[in-house]
Amino acid sequence: MNLLPAEVAAQLPALYATDGQGDAVIVWARWFTPDSGWAWYAVEWDGADLCFGLVEGLEVELGYFSLAELAEARGPMGLAIERDQQWRPRALGDVRREIDDRRAGE
């Protein structure tokens, strides 16, 4: 599976292009492990491999992640990471609230 199709890549701002926008910045893409609770939300991209965005794992934090590493990684049952094809771009603050609400209900 192509983790970052051209039409999605074309929407992602360059690294550092959204500095200062805080929770108003748009999350353009999401990847997830179907067999665990990990997810990656892209806000910016270097045009080659490196993304900046929200990482949801043991903690929820902003950081950098590599698409090449996501392509190689496997979840605990050996399943590959997938791009959420139903994802609709929305503000980072909304994504954080969705994650917080979901985690509060666990």
Side-chain angles (χ1 to χ4, degrees), residues 70-104:
L70 292 185
E72 293 178 12
R74 296 293 180 265
M77 295 174 56
L79 299 177
I81 293 169
E82 300 177 17
R83 183 177 57 86
D84 184 346
Q85 296 183 35
Q86 304 304 312
W87 181 258
R88 299 294 174 253
R90 54 188 166 275
L92 178 62
D94 294 338
V95 173
R96 287 182 194 261
R97 280 187 289 283
E98 291 167 12
I99 292 170
D100 288 346
D101 290 349
R102 183 172 20 85
R103 286 179 164 228

Side-chain angles (χ1 to χ4, degrees), residues 58-75:
L58 300 175
E59 302 293 329
V60 178
E61 58 191 349
L62 291 171
Y64 295 90
F65 55 92
S66 161
L67 294 176
E69 289 180 6
L70 292 185
E72 293 178 12
R74 296 293 180 265

Side-chain angles (χ1 to χ4, degrees), residues 24-35:
V25 71
I26 300 298
V27 176
W28 293 100
R30 175 183 181 263
W31 297 270
F32 65 97
T33 51
D35 54 352

Side-chain angles (χ1 to χ4, degrees), residues 4 10 16-17 36 40 46 65 90 98-99:
L4 190 59
Y16 315 112
S36 79
W40 298 262
D46 73 353
F65 55 92
R90 54 188 166 275
E98 291 167 12
I99 292 170

Side-chain angles (χ1 to χ4, degrees), residues 2 4 6 48 51 54 86 104:
N2 180 5
L4 190 59
C51 290
L54 195 66
Q86 304 304 312

